[in-house]
Protein backbone atom coordinates (compact mmCIF):
# COMPACT_ATOMS: atom_id res chain seq x y z
CA UNK A 1 0.00 0.00 0.00
CA UNK A 2 1.11 3.56 -0.40
CA UNK A 3 0.24 7.23 -0.26
CA UNK A 4 0.71 9.60 -3.18
CA UNK A 5 0.36 13.35 -3.49
CA UNK A 6 -2.00 14.84 -6.06
CA UNK A 7 -0.35 18.10 -7.18
CA UNK A 8 -3.41 19.33 -9.04
CA UNK A 9 -5.80 18.93 -6.13
CA UNK A 10 -3.10 19.43 -3.47
CA UNK A 11 -4.20 16.42 -1.45
CA UNK A 12 -2.93 13.03 -0.35
CA UNK A 13 -4.35 9.89 -1.95
CA UNK A 14 -4.32 6.58 -0.03
CA UNK A 15 -4.17 3.23 -1.81
CA UNK A 16 -4.37 0.30 0.61
CA UNK A 17 -4.08 -2.37 -2.05
CA UNK A 18 -1.14 -1.45 -4.28
CA UNK A 19 2.40 -0.15 -4.10
CA UNK A 20 3.65 2.38 -6.60
CA UNK A 21 6.85 4.12 -7.66
CA UNK A 22 5.33 7.49 -6.74
CA UNK A 23 4.39 6.50 -3.19
CA UNK A 24 5.34 9.03 -0.54
CA UNK A 25 5.27 6.41 2.20
CA UNK A 26 4.76 2.67 2.25
CA UNK A 27 4.68 -0.07 4.86
CA UNK A 28 8.24 -1.08 5.57
CA UNK A 29 9.44 -4.59 4.94
CA UNK A 30 12.55 -6.28 6.28
CA UNK A 31 13.86 -3.01 7.73
CA UNK A 32 10.79 -2.57 9.93
CA UNK A 33 12.93 -3.15 13.02
CA UNK A 34 16.15 -1.24 13.65
CA UNK A 35 18.47 -0.72 16.57
CA UNK A 36 18.22 2.89 17.69
CA UNK A 37 18.49 4.74 20.99
CA UNK A 38 20.17 1.63 22.36
CA UNK A 39 16.77 -0.07 22.26
CA UNK A 40 14.59 -2.07 19.91
CA UNK A 41 12.94 0.52 17.65
CA UNK A 42 10.03 -0.28 15.35
CA UNK A 43 8.42 2.10 12.91
CA UNK A 44 5.29 1.85 10.80
CA UNK A 45 6.17 3.85 7.72
CA UNK A 46 9.15 5.47 6.07
CA UNK A 47 9.31 8.11 3.36
CA UNK A 48 10.43 7.19 -0.13
CA UNK A 49 13.87 8.40 -1.18
CA UNK A 50 12.39 10.51 -3.97
CA UNK A 51 10.14 12.57 -1.66
CA UNK A 52 11.26 16.17 -1.20
CA UNK A 53 11.26 18.04 2.07
CA UNK A 54 8.18 20.14 1.34
CA UNK A 55 6.01 17.09 0.71
CA UNK A 56 7.38 15.28 3.77
CA UNK A 57 6.60 18.28 5.96
CA UNK A 58 3.11 18.61 4.49
CA UNK A 59 2.34 14.94 5.12
CA UNK A 60 3.64 15.05 8.69
CA UNK A 61 1.42 18.05 9.39
CA UNK A 62 -1.53 16.26 7.79
CA UNK A 63 -1.00 13.21 10.00
CA UNK A 64 -0.32 15.11 13.22
CA UNK A 65 -2.93 17.84 12.95
CA UNK A 66 -5.99 16.15 11.48
CA UNK A 67 -8.18 16.66 14.53
CA UNK A 68 -11.24 14.66 13.48
CA UNK A 69 -9.63 11.26 13.06
CA UNK A 70 -12.88 9.36 13.52
CA UNK A 71 -14.26 10.89 10.33
CA UNK A 72 -11.09 10.30 8.33
CA UNK A 73 -11.17 6.60 7.39
CA UNK A 74 -8.01 6.81 5.30
CA UNK A 75 -5.90 8.13 8.14
CA UNK A 76 -7.38 5.80 10.76
CA UNK A 77 -6.75 2.83 8.47
CA UNK A 78 -3.21 4.13 7.94
CA UNK A 79 -2.66 4.08 11.72
CA UNK A 80 -4.34 0.71 12.25
CA UNK A 81 -2.26 -1.03 9.61
CA UNK A 82 0.94 0.14 11.29
CA UNK A 83 -0.20 -1.13 14.72
CA UNK A 84 -1.37 -4.39 13.14
CA UNK A 85 2.07 -4.81 11.66
CA UNK A 86 3.65 -4.09 15.04
CA UNK A 87 1.46 -6.75 16.66
CA UNK A 88 2.88 -9.30 14.22
CA UNK A 89 6.40 -8.56 15.46
CA UNK A 90 5.86 -8.29 19.21
CA UNK A 91 3.23 -9.65 21.58
CA UNK A 92 1.47 -6.56 22.90
CA UNK A 93 -0.27 -8.70 25.50
CA UNK A 94 3.10 -9.00 27.26
CA UNK A 95 3.38 -5.24 27.88
CA UNK A 96 2.62 -3.64 31.22
CA UNK A 97 2.97 0.09 30.50
CA UNK A 98 2.62 2.42 27.52
CA UNK A 99 4.45 5.77 27.72
CA UNK A 100 3.96 8.64 25.27
CA UNK A 101 4.85 12.34 25.12
CA UNK A 102 2.31 15.09 25.55
CA UNK A 103 1.18 16.24 22.10
CA UNK A 104 -1.46 18.38 20.43
CA UNK A 105 -1.71 15.60 17.85
CA UNK A 106 -4.57 13.11 18.24
CA UNK A 107 -2.53 10.28 16.74
CA UNK A 108 -0.91 9.01 19.95
CA UNK A 109 -4.26 8.75 21.71
CA UNK A 110 -5.77 6.93 18.74
CA UNK A 111 -2.83 4.51 18.60
CA UNK A 112 -3.22 3.88 22.32
CA UNK A 113 -6.91 3.04 21.99
CA UNK A 114 -6.17 0.65 19.14
CA UNK A 115 -3.27 -0.97 21.04
CA UNK A 116 -5.74 -1.88 23.79
CA UNK A 117 -7.35 -4.30 21.35
CA UNK A 118 -4.19 -6.42 21.56
CA UNK A 119 -3.02 -5.67 25.10
CA UNK A 120 -3.74 -7.20 28.46
CA UNK A 121 -6.60 -5.69 30.51
CA UNK A 122 -4.21 -4.39 33.18
CA UNK A 123 -2.12 -2.35 30.73
CA UNK A 124 -1.32 1.10 32.18
CA UNK A 125 -0.73 4.23 30.15
CA UNK A 126 1.31 7.27 31.07
CA UNK A 127 1.87 10.64 29.43
CA UNK A 128 5.04 12.68 29.90
CA UNK A 129 4.27 16.38 29.75
CA UNK A 130 6.44 19.33 28.77
CA UNK A 131 8.37 20.90 31.60
CA UNK A 132 8.63 24.61 32.30
CA UNK A 133 11.57 26.19 30.46
CA UNK A 134 13.04 27.25 33.81
CA UNK A 135 13.42 23.57 34.75
CA UNK A 136 15.58 22.70 31.75
CA UNK A 137 19.14 21.86 32.74
CA UNK A 138 22.40 20.77 31.17
CA UNK A 139 24.41 17.63 31.95
CA UNK A 140 27.77 19.35 32.20
CA UNK A 141 29.43 16.32 33.78
CA UNK A 142 28.60 14.10 30.79
CA UNK A 143 29.61 16.81 28.31
CA UNK A 144 32.97 17.31 30.02
CA UNK A 145 33.61 13.59 30.10
CA UNK A 146 32.81 13.01 26.44
CA UNK A 147 34.16 16.21 24.88
CA UNK A 148 36.00 18.72 27.05
CA UNK A 149 38.26 16.15 28.67
CA UNK A 150 39.15 14.49 25.37
CA UNK A 151 42.85 13.83 24.75
CA UNK A 152 44.94 13.69 21.57
CA UNK A 153 46.83 10.64 20.35
CA UNK A 154 49.97 11.83 22.09
CA UNK A 155 48.10 11.96 25.40
CA UNK A 156 47.90 15.75 25.62
CA UNK A 157 44.56 17.39 26.43
CA UNK A 158 42.63 18.51 23.35
CA UNK A 159 41.47 21.71 25.03
CA UNK A 160 43.18 24.13 27.37
CA UNK A 161 41.58 25.11 30.66
CA UNK A 162 40.82 28.53 29.19
CA UNK A 163 39.02 26.93 26.23
CA UNK A 164 37.00 24.71 28.56
CA UNK A 165 35.89 27.69 30.60
CA UNK A 166 34.91 29.54 27.42
CA UNK A 167 32.68 26.64 26.35
CA UNK A 168 31.10 26.42 29.79
CA UNK A 169 30.35 30.15 29.70
CA UNK A 170 28.68 29.71 26.29
CA UNK A 171 26.54 26.86 27.64
CA UNK A 172 25.47 28.90 30.66
CA UNK A 173 24.57 31.84 28.40
CA UNK A 174 22.50 29.46 26.26
CA UNK A 175 20.67 28.13 29.34
CA UNK A 176 19.89 31.66 30.51
CA UNK A 177 18.27 32.37 27.13
CA UNK A 178 16.35 29.08 27.18
CA UNK A 179 14.91 29.84 30.60
CA UNK A 180 13.33 32.99 29.14
CA UNK A 181 11.66 31.24 26.19
CA UNK A 182 8.56 29.14 25.67
CA UNK A 183 8.80 25.38 25.14
CA UNK A 184 8.11 25.30 21.41
CA UNK A 185 10.65 28.02 20.65
CA UNK A 186 13.19 26.00 22.61
CA UNK A 187 12.40 22.82 20.70
CA UNK A 188 12.91 24.63 17.40
CA UNK A 189 16.12 26.40 18.41
CA UNK A 190 17.98 23.51 19.99
CA UNK A 191 16.76 20.66 17.79
CA UNK A 192 19.97 20.55 15.75
CA UNK A 193 22.28 21.95 18.38
CA UNK A 194 25.36 19.90 19.25
CA UNK A 195 24.47 20.54 22.88
CA UNK A 196 20.97 19.02 22.55
CA UNK A 197 21.83 15.49 23.79
CA UNK A 198 23.04 16.99 27.07
CA UNK A 199 20.02 19.17 27.75
CA UNK A 200 17.76 17.58 30.32
CA UNK A 201 14.30 17.84 31.88
CA UNK A 202 12.34 18.68 28.73
CA UNK A 203 9.65 16.30 29.93
CA UNK A 204 8.23 15.40 33.32
CA UNK A 205 5.66 13.00 34.71
CA UNK A 206 2.11 14.34 34.68
CA UNK A 207 1.65 13.37 38.32
CA UNK A 208 3.53 12.01 41.32
CA UNK A 209 1.41 8.86 41.05
CA UNK A 210 2.70 8.24 37.51
CA UNK A 211 6.28 8.66 38.67
CA UNK A 212 5.73 6.23 41.55
CA UNK A 213 4.10 3.74 39.21
CA UNK A 214 7.04 3.88 36.83
CA UNK A 215 9.44 3.47 39.75
CA UNK A 216 7.58 0.41 41.02
CA UNK A 217 7.50 -1.43 37.67
CA UNK A 218 10.48 -3.77 37.64
CA UNK A 219 11.59 -6.42 35.14
CA UNK A 220 8.56 -5.79 32.96
CA UNK A 221 7.87 -4.57 29.43
CA UNK A 222 7.36 -0.90 28.56
CA UNK A 223 6.19 0.33 25.15
CA UNK A 224 7.07 3.92 24.20
CA UNK A 225 4.96 5.33 21.36
CA UNK A 226 5.15 8.54 19.34
CA UNK A 227 3.48 9.68 16.15
CA UNK A 228 6.48 10.98 14.15
CA UNK A 229 10.20 10.54 14.80
CA UNK A 230 12.55 12.89 12.95
CA UNK A 231 15.47 14.06 15.10
CA UNK A 232 14.80 11.59 17.90
CA UNK A 233 15.17 14.24 20.61
CA UNK A 234 11.76 13.52 22.19
CA UNK A 235 12.35 9.78 22.37
CA UNK A 236 15.81 10.33 23.83
CA UNK A 237 14.32 12.48 26.58
CA UNK A 238 11.62 9.88 27.32
CA UNK A 239 14.24 7.14 27.64
CA UNK A 240 16.41 9.29 29.85
CA UNK A 241 13.43 10.07 32.11
CA UNK A 242 12.58 6.37 32.40
CA UNK A 243 16.18 5.33 33.05
CA UNK A 244 16.52 7.78 35.93
CA UNK A 245 13.96 5.70 37.84
CA UNK A 246 15.29 2.26 36.96
CA UNK A 247 16.94 0.26 34.19
CA UNK A 248 15.38 -3.09 34.99
CA UNK A 249 12.63 -2.93 32.38
CA UNK A 250 12.64 -3.96 28.74
CA UNK A 251 11.78 -0.90 26.65
CA UNK A 252 10.44 -1.11 23.10
CA UNK A 253 9.91 2.00 20.96
CA UNK A 254 7.27 2.40 18.26
CA UNK A 255 6.84 5.38 15.96
CA UNK A 256 4.09 5.66 13.35
CA UNK A 257 6.49 7.37 10.94
CA UNK A 258 10.17 6.86 11.60
CA UNK A 259 13.60 6.74 10.00
CA UNK A 260 15.49 3.52 9.47
CA UNK A 261 18.78 5.44 9.60
CA UNK A 262 17.98 6.96 12.99
CA UNK A 263 20.84 5.31 14.82
CA UNK A 264 21.00 7.58 17.85
CA UNK A 265 23.37 6.43 20.55
CA UNK A 266 22.05 5.76 24.02
CA UNK A 267 22.47 8.60 26.44
CA UNK A 268 24.43 8.02 29.63
Amino acid sequence: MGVTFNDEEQQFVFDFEHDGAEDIVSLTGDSYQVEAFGRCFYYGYEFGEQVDGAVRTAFIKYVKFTHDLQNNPNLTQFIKKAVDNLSHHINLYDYDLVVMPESSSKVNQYMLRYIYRFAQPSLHEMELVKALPTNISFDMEAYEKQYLNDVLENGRPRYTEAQKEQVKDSINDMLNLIHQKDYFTIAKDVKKSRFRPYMMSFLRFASKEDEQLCTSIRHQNILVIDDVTTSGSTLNEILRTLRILNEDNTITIFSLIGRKDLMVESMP
Side-chain angles (χ1 to χ4, degrees), residues 87-110:
S87 73
H88 293 153
H89 288 77
I90 64 175
N91 186 0
L92 288 170
Y93 189 82
D94 289 338
Y95 283 77
D96 306 280
L97 174 68
V98 176
V99 179
M100 58 188 179
E102 177 186 31
S103 175
S104 56
S105 167
K106 305 294 184 181
V107 174
N108 283 348
Q109 292 290 342
Y110 190 86

Side-chain angles (χ1 to χ4, degrees), residues 23-78:
D23 287 349
I24 295 170
V25 293
S26 58
L27 273 172
T28 54
D30 295 336
S31 298
Y32 183 80
Q33 175 185 344
V34 297
E35 289 296 325
F37 309 97
R39 302 288 179 177
C40 187
F41 176 40
Y42 294 88
Y43 57 99
Y45 303 94
E46 61 176 316
F47 288 104
E49 294 181 359
Q50 82 286 357
V51 182
D52 63 38
V55 174
R56 286 198 303 270
T57 300
F59 187 71
I60 288 174
K61 289 181 178 179
Y62 171 77
V63 171
K64 289 176 68 73
F65 301 115
T66 297
H67 296 292
D68 193 4
L69 283 176
Q70 298 293 350
N71 291 321
N72 190 325
N74 283 330
L75 192 49
T76 54
Q77 181 69 359
F78 181 81

